[in-house]
Amino acid sequence: MARVVIVSNRVPVPSFRGARAGGLTVALHDVFKNGALWLGWSGEIAAETNTKAKIEPSGKFDFATIDLSEDDYKRFYVGFANSVLWPLLHFQPGLLEFDREDFEAYLDVNRTYAKALVPLLKPTDLIWVHDYHLIPLGMALRALGVKNRIGFFLHVPFVPASLFAVLPPAEALLRMLCTYDVVGFQAHQHLHDFEDCLLGFLNVAHQRGSPIVIDGHPVHVAAMPIGIDTRAFARQAKKAMQGRAAHRLDESVQGRALMIGVDRLDYSKGLPNRFEAFGRLLDRFPEHRLKVTYLQVAARSREDVTEYQRLKRELDRLAGEINGRHAEFDWVPLRYMTRAVTRSSLAGFHRQARVGLVTPLRDGMNLVAKEYIAAQDPEDPGVLVLSRFAGAAEEMTEAIIINPHDPDEITEAMHQALIMPLDERKARYEKLFEKICQTTAATYCRDFIAALSAGSNGGNQIT
Ligand code: GDG
């Protein structure tokens, strides 16, 4: 089998693992047990962005990292990637901070990634590029003469043409996406919105089941939802119940029902509305007063982006206000922490929680929804409250599906989940568990690699 070369913004080098959050890392790490090359940013800032990657073998993986200069970090990463593409692709055009120089740096850094990758490539390698930071990479590799198959997977949502048009280089980016051999999305809705852009900007209609052809080049586009290693996470959760963290949490909750949220501290995750909804739960359904504890793990992320600093201040304020108003001398209703916790502790916390709250305003997939279900005790499972705007909602229809823009709807879902009888909890859980066993990290990788390999030996169609 051909070697797979993964390129993503961050790389889970051994020193970077541990308690760090990050969906891509979690999804891919367990799967490529047979070896792969993985290139990305080291997370380090250097005097200059370097084109020679540092290689760090670890088990069957070769990790290759490059450092970024301070200026590239600010313009490429903080600027275009996270202050333009991230808000836009999460339907928040009001948060866009576009600057032409940032876009130039975005293109430049992608050319640097390409230059760093070329000397490491073998002719038969399959190149798999991940996420919005690296949209121009395929084109940059082609410009350097790379003939390998190159695929791109977008972890975040896509937007319809009327919204994509807000982006000044919209058409250029769309054309860059079309230089790949395969383009994958998390959900059918994202694929649908991408097709809307193809039609709106390039006047190309996509027929499902056929590749699109742009400038004579066929591009296979498909929805290929990401998943987790469900059974492994289920085992981890069961085992974690014997650990110290689970015992400490259990003791501190004192028999109250636990509700949990686990999210990067990000405005796309809908945390202010969720906090607001919890406050309203205690007002509107006073039977839960003193009887429920809500634990929100919100690991800090992208702290150099202004909007994230603003969000943190807002959540600090809201948490203080809710606890100030509702707490008793022996009960703190909302526990809000911005430090990351270990994956094993998280697995145990999910299993202890009667309700899992996943209420993003938009999300590519949301792996936490799957982790929460995987972690449950089949004999006494908890209930998932899930935003209709998470990619996960396309599959996980037995969750309580809510519109995260309506705090009252979240409040009512919290109440419904807290009082749900065991037989209904079990019925919903069983269906959800079955689904997340069908779409896993392994099936996701297998499907993408199959699509990428397909054209290298004559070209199959994927839908
Ligand atoms: C992007 C897309 C898509 C969170 N806090 C801690 C922690 N986490 C772990 C979770 C989960 C992962 O991080 C977060 O994944 P999500 O999928 O929820 O979200 P993003 O980070 O925004 O990821 C998303 C994903 O890519 C994959 O394609 O699903 O839509 O936005 O695994 O458990 N892990 C640890 N401590 C924490 O405090 N150990």
Side-chain angles (χ1 to χ4, degrees):
M1 193 193 152
R3 181 176 70 153
V4 175
V5 174
I6 299 167
V7 192
S8 62
N9 179 54
R10 292 302 293 272
V11 174
V13 288
S15 48
F16 173 68
R17 286 189 211 127
R20 302 292 284 266
L24 173 60
T25 308
V26 172
L28 291 181
H29 188 258
D30 296 336
V31 176
F32 287 93
K33 294 182 178 124
N34 295 329
L37 173 69
W38 193 331
L39 173 80
W41 175 38
S42 60
E44 301 294 326
I45 302 294
E48 277 188 24
T49 298
N50 47 1
T51 51
K52 191 166 176 344
K54 182 176 150 219
I55 311 287
E56 198 180 338
S58 168
K60 290 177 176 161
F61 265 95
D62 281 330
F63 294 108
T65 53
I66 58 173
D67 303 333
L68 291 181
S69 70
E70 177 81 28
D71 198 49
D72 280 340
Y73 168 73
K74 284 196 179 132
R75 292 195 173 279
F76 154 78
Y77 180 76
V78 175
F80 193 73
N82 284 313
S83 303
V84 176
L85 288 180
W86 178 272
L88 178 74
L89 295 173
H90 288 87
F91 291 71
Q92 302 260 15
L95 299 183
L96 235 76
E97 291 175 33
F98 180 78
D99 178 327
R100 280 188 189 180
E101 282 187 50
D102 290 355
F103 181 56
E104 286 306 321
Y106 175 75
L107 298 177
D108 259 357
V109 169
N110 272 272
R111 284 191 283 263
T112 303
Y113 269 83
K115 282 186 203 145
L117 185 58
V118 166
L120 308 177
L121 284 178
K122 299 175 190 167
T124 53
D125 284 344
L126 297 170
I127 305 170
W128 186 2
V129 179
H130 288 265
D131 230 359
Y132 60 98
H133 316 84
L134 299 175
I135 292 173
L137 182 59
M139 195 178 76
L141 286 167
R142 292 284 181 241
L144 294 177
V146 172
K147 299 278 187 288
N148 303 52
R149 298 273 295 169
I150 313 177
F152 178 85
F153 185 81
L154 186 68
H155 288 261
V156 298
F158 209 75
V159 290
S162 55
L163 184 49
F164 200 56
V166 168
L167 184 66
E171 187 178 328
L173 278 174
L174 202 59
R175 287 192 181 277
M176 287 174 202
L177 277 171
C178 293
T179 60
Y180 288 94
D181 298 305
V182 174
V183 178
F185 298 93
Q186 300 271 24
H188 287 98
Q189 181 62 54
H190 310 156
L191 174 57
H192 181 271
D193 288 339
F194 178 68
E195 288 166 339
D196 187 52
C197 288
L198 289 176
L199 194 61
F201 286 90
L202 307 180
N203 199 24
V204 170
H206 178 226
Q207 279 198 324
R208 296 272 170 105
S210 307
I212 48 166
V213 180
I214 310 275
D215 299 332
H217 170 68
V219 191
H220 298 273
V221 295
M224 303 178 214
I226 201 166
I228 60 167
D229 187 344
T230 304
R231 293 189 192 278
F233 198 75
R235 283 193 299 275
Q236 191 173 19
K238 195 170 175 191
K239 188 165 163 223
M241 295 300 279
Q242 313 307 321
R244 226 170 88 74
H247 280 297
R248 278 176 58 193
L249 178 60
D250 188 47
E251 258 177 39
S252 71
V253 165
Q254 296 184 323
R256 296 184 173 101
L258 179 67
M259 300 205 292
I260 193 167
V262 176
D263 308 78
R264 277 185 309 97
L265 208 160
D266 191 301
Y267 52 79
S268 67
K269 304 293 181 184
L271 292 166
N273 278 9
R274 198 187 301 168
F275 279 19
E276 180 63 38
F278 180 60
R280 291 187 197 184
L281 177 82
L282 302 175
D283 283 326
R284 287 182 52 198
F285 300 95
E287 60 267 42
H288 298 302
R289 290 183 55 78
L290 289 161
K291 301 220 171 73
V292 63
T293 296
Y294 167 23
L295 169 64
Q296 178 62 52
V297 180
R300 291 189 298 274
S301 106
R302 302 177 194 165
E303 292 176 87
D304 291 336
V305 182
T306 323
E307 202 51 36
Y308 290 66
Q309 297 161 6
R310 201 199 55 72
L311 173 68
K312 183 167 177 305
R313 285 195 300 275
E314 184 183 0
L315 291 174
D316 289 351
R317 184 186 60 76
L318 273 172
E321 202 174 278
I322 289 167
N323 280 332
R325 200 149 71 85
H326 295 282
E328 301 268 341
F329 61 87
D330 57 352
W331 174 57
V332 179
L334 171 57
R335 299 181 189 181
Y336 156 61
M337 54 188 284
T338 60
R339 250 180 304 142
V341 301
T342 67
R343 188 156 170 81
S344 139
S345 300
L346 270 188
F349 294 174
H350 280 312
R351 194 173 175 99
Q352 282 167 286
R354 169 51 52 90
V355 183
L357 299 170
V358 178
T359 61
L361 303 179
R362 289 280 161 178
D363 220 326
M365 175 54 63
N366 197 297
L367 294 177
V368 175
K370 298 188 172 187
E371 290 163 355
Y372 177 75
I373 291 299
Q376 294 309 300
D377 175 357
E379 297 309 318
D380 186 19
V383 181
L384 176 65
V385 174
L386 178 61
S387 162
R388 57 182 293 186
F389 301 121
E394 270 191 12
E395 299 168 276
M396 303 183 78
T397 48
E398 291 77 14
I400 302 180
I401 305 289
I402 53 95
N403 182 331
H405 294 281
D406 180 0
D408 279 308
E409 198 176 326
I410 307 176
T411 299
E412 284 150 16
M414 286 172 172
H415 174 65
Q416 186 190 347
L418 284 166
I419 63 166
M420 190 179 285
L422 178 62
D423 53 351
E424 186 180 346
R425 282 190 274 130
K426 272 182 157 178
R428 287 176 185 255
Y429 158 80
E430 280 159 16
K431 290 203 177 101
L432 288 169
F433 189 78
E434 200 185 315
K435 286 180 176 175
I436 59 166
C437 287
Q438 273 161 16
T439 309
T440 62
T443 61
Y444 158 72
C445 289
R446 193 197 62 207
D447 290 352
F448 195 92
I449 298 300
L452 194 53
S453 321
S456 58
N457 50 21
N460 273 335
Q461 289 182 1
I462 54 155
T463 54

